[in-house]
Amino acid sequence: MRNSTQSILRSTLLFALMLGLAACGGDGGGDVRGSGGADSTPGTASNTQVADTTSSEVVYAGSVGDGPITGATVTVYSVSGTVLDRIVSDGHAKYQVRIKTRGQDYPLRLEASGGIDLVTGRAPDFTMVSVIVHPSVKTANINPFSTLIALAAEKLPGGISRTNVSTATTRVMDKLSLGLDSRQVPDPITSTITDSNVAHIVKASEALGEVIRRTRDLMATAGQRLDGDAVMAALAADITDGLLDGRGSDASNATISAVAKVVSGQVLVEALSNNLRVDGIVATGVLDQSILTTHPGVSASELTGNVRTTASMLQQARIAVAAARVLDTSTPLANIARVLAGLNANTTASSVATALPADSSLALSGVVGMTPFASPVEIAAVNAVVAAGSSPAAQNTPPSISGSPTVSVVAGNFYSFQPVASDADGNALTFNISGRPGWAS
């Protein structure tokens, strides 16, 4: 009788334990994982999904902007493509959505369309997207950076997942941050935009937007009519391997990448001196006004003129100008390269404006215009500079020295020879004489 009672008790305890474990399943707000505890955010066929049908209410919010965009329609999609909600960005270019989701709905995709860009004064030139990979992430900004990141992550093996979004973020910010300071905005998707960092995200986002627009328009001059979405898709596909060199995934395009890189040199030169042109006009005042409109509490010291250079911004500008010099070896571009080589991170925009030749953007216009018409060999050469630029040592240009000394001199007469020497990277030069006679100095 005792053994039978113990057996019944063991069975009852085991059944209760099983019920307890089942009750600990996800509620839509917990971590979504497959077998083994690996990162398995839903969203692609390769991700293990938890059959979580329990819904919970969550609130997501963020900013919408190339320049800040008011009145944009933000559509929230589940991983299966179901529309969960639609909302409109407010007068501060922000949105907030309260929806019920299940664990199996993730990752969520957000698309912003329509509305008015406060910088260009028209609807955005491309659809902007963002992602929410997990219910615990409550901020999802929608901007050109989030768009490149989301599109690049989709191209990585396994599609949208926590790991792939993180990888894509690192690669985009390394090669196309356009001056976005990671100390101010650590993540262009999940960082909260405040009075203290709004100028950083607005200025850099508008710069990236200009790269897309100018690339689109330049490709049209060569007979390839693309919209902004197509340019975005091509760049996102290319950067999946960590380089913007035309050799990424299958959807990359070598010419689009080369044009975008040369264009980014011009855009960065403008942004470094806080003279970014939008639609061909210096937009500093409009950028600052858009910031004041959406963040009325911003002080004068927090506007675009006080956004300082970053090390990655300078590196991207140097590589882009070096790529441009493959097609244009003129002195003006050599002068720009020399000044960029001598600049340091954290330099003020006013100091950069003083150092750079006043017509730097104009000097780059010629090579920008010719890049879409470059031959396949030239396009490959431009992209090769970009690839080599990932290594600081590989991008160094050797110094040049020239001159023809007189081979004879009359005894007792003064003799002087001074060679002409320069370094395209702006590095300091030192001189030595080999075979120097004892009487020479």
Side-chain angles (χ1 to χ4, degrees), residues 91 161 195 356:
S161 68
D195 288 355
L356 278 172

Side-chain angles (χ1 to χ4, degrees), residues 25-32 52 54-58 60 101-104 106 134-138 162:
D27 62 355
D31 198 10
V32 182
D52 182 0
T54 303
S55 64
S56 60
E57 189 174 75
V58 289
Y60 298 114
T101 62
R102 303 163 298 173
Q104 63 191 35
Y106 293 83
H134 192 269
S136 62
V137 179
K138 294 301 188 285
R162 273 181 168 179

Side-chain angles (χ1 to χ4, degrees), residues 198-285:
V198 62
H200 293 265
I201 188 70
V202 168
K203 183 177 178 179
S205 290
E206 196 63 53
L208 181 52
E210 268 300 291
V211 170
I212 302 302
R213 287 189 287 268
R214 295 185 200 184
T215 300
R216 173 201 64 192
D217 295 344
L218 285 163
M219 294 300 294
T221 65
Q224 296 190 46
R225 297 196 175 277
L226 308 171
D227 59 17
D229 294 332
V231 174
M232 268 286 189
L235 297 183
D238 189 9
I239 210 165
T240 53
D241 63 354
L243 294 172
L244 193 65
D245 62 352
R247 302 176 64 182
S249 65
D250 292 341
S252 58
N253 181 294
T255 301
I256 292 177
S257 293
V259 171
K261 179 54 67 175
V262 173
V263 164
S264 73
Q266 184 182 44
V267 169
L268 283 164
V269 163
E270 296 169 5
L272 281 163
S273 60
N274 202 35
N275 288 294
L276 177 65
R277 291 176 177 269
V278 176
D279 295 337
I281 301 172
V282 175
T284 306

Side-chain angles (χ1 to χ4, degrees), residues 127-146:
T127 301
M128 284 183 286
V129 302
S130 190
V131 291
I132 299 173
V133 295
H134 192 269
S136 62
V137 179
K138 294 301 188 285
T139 299
N141 301 314
I142 311 171
N143 50 53
F145 294 105
S146 71

Side-chain angles (χ1 to χ4, degrees), residues 63 65 112 166 234 356 413:
S63 66
S166 176
L356 278 172
N413 287 357

Side-chain angles (χ1 to χ4, degrees), residues 361-377:
S361 178
L362 181 61
L364 285 157
S365 294
V367 67
V368 164
M370 73 171 69
T371 306
F373 299 93
S375 69
V377 172

